[in-house]
Amino acid sequence: MSGTRRAAVAGMFYPASANALRAALGAAYAGAAVVEPSAPAVAVVAPHAGYVYSGPIAATAYCALRPLAGTVTRVVLLGPSHHVPFAGVAVPTVDALATPLGDVRVDTEARACVLGLPGVIAADAPHAQEHSLEVHLPFIVDALGDVAVLPVAVGRATDDVVAAVIDAVWDGPSMIPIVSTDLSHYLPYREAAVRDHITAAQVEAGRVEEIGPYDACGYRPLRGLMVAARRRNLAVKAVDLRSSGDTAGDAARVVGYGAFLVG
């Protein structure tokens, strides 16, 4: 890879042109759930499917971040590695991430910090085709503006390894963790809704060990965030639970999505 990671799923998961992408973001926000005002979120969990499927649910989470523009200057973005199996977590060697809205700076200071931790490697291969991280970049740019992002691809990593990465860089209100995960996969609509509500209840109750791969494809980064939040006495709240059956998919076989706020 060069000094900039190219956008691998622009034109597939979201529009490749800046104008069309802005319109897609606007449509996602128009479909977001209305969440009652509360204390500002200090971390969020949001899904990573194509925008027509999960965009409105992701927008629910990012609505909570929009008021933090100007305060948040750094983001640690964690998502599952779908294409490259490996042990631990991986940060890229590149210094920028391309999007149709412009390049996003990689947080090189945070990268240097986490590279000293057990289980953390520098590797570009897990990032090259990974959509779980890329689809969040336009939302981050739209909600927070010019921020530095540390993308973290999570492979076979323990909760403690993931939590240690989050803890190492989550050092105040200028840094916010974002975890990328979808929920249940390819169940009938009603069955998926039941499973996803159970998963949300387990997340809100802090039952880390109850969250597994059939509950959330990004269960490892999710569990790591839950551990880090518990250490800070922070609550995790589900604010939007929907599926592709609610947005643009067939109800016979859906993927579940959730937006969670930490605060």
Side-chain angles (χ1 to χ4, degrees), residues 82 135 232:
H82 285 91
V135 300
R232 290 166 169 76

Side-chain angles (χ1 to χ4, degrees), residues 198-239:
I198 292 172
T199 298
Q202 302 286 26
V203 172
E204 290 182 332
R207 299 190 184 101
V208 176
E209 66 285 350
E210 298 297 328
I211 309 300
Y214 294 104
D215 304 310
C217 60
Y219 75 101
R220 289 188 172 103
L222 176 58
R223 286 169 56 139
L225 178 62
M226 291 170 66
V227 170
R230 184 167 60 195
R231 291 171 179 169
R232 290 166 169 76
N233 295 315
L234 295 170
V236 185
K237 179 178 176 59
V239 293

Side-chain angles (χ1 to χ4, degrees), residues 24 106 109 113 149 159 168 174 177 180 183 215 230 249 256:
V106 170
E109 179 182 346
C113 178
V149 175
D159 301 342
S174 66
S180 171
L183 299 179
D215 304 310
R230 184 167 60 195

Side-chain angles (χ1 to χ4, degrees), residues 113-221:
C113 178
V114 302
L115 277 172
L117 298 175
V120 181
I121 62 171
D124 291 320
H127 290 268
Q129 300 298 322
E130 187 50 61
H131 65 276
S132 74
L133 302 171
E134 180 181 326
V135 300
H136 283 274
L137 298 176
F139 275 106
I140 291 170
V141 171
D142 177 81
L144 297 173
D146 181 22
V147 296
V149 175
L150 177 66
V152 180
V154 180
R156 297 185 306 276
T158 66
D159 301 342
D160 286 341
V161 165
V162 178
V165 169
I166 297 171
D167 284 338
V169 296
W170 196 6
D171 54 5
S174 66
M175 163 63 81
I176 195 158
I178 298 173
V179 161
S180 171
T181 187
D182 296 336
L183 299 179
S184 62
H185 280 58
Y186 311 130
L187 298 175
Y189 179 87
R190 293 189 182 280
E191 185 178 342
V194 171
R195 181 186 288 271
D196 293 341
H197 277 84
I198 292 172
T199 298
Q202 302 286 26
V203 172
E204 290 182 332
R207 299 190 184 101
V208 176
E209 66 285 350
E210 298 297 328
I211 309 300
Y214 294 104
D215 304 310
C217 60
Y219 75 101
R220 289 188 172 103

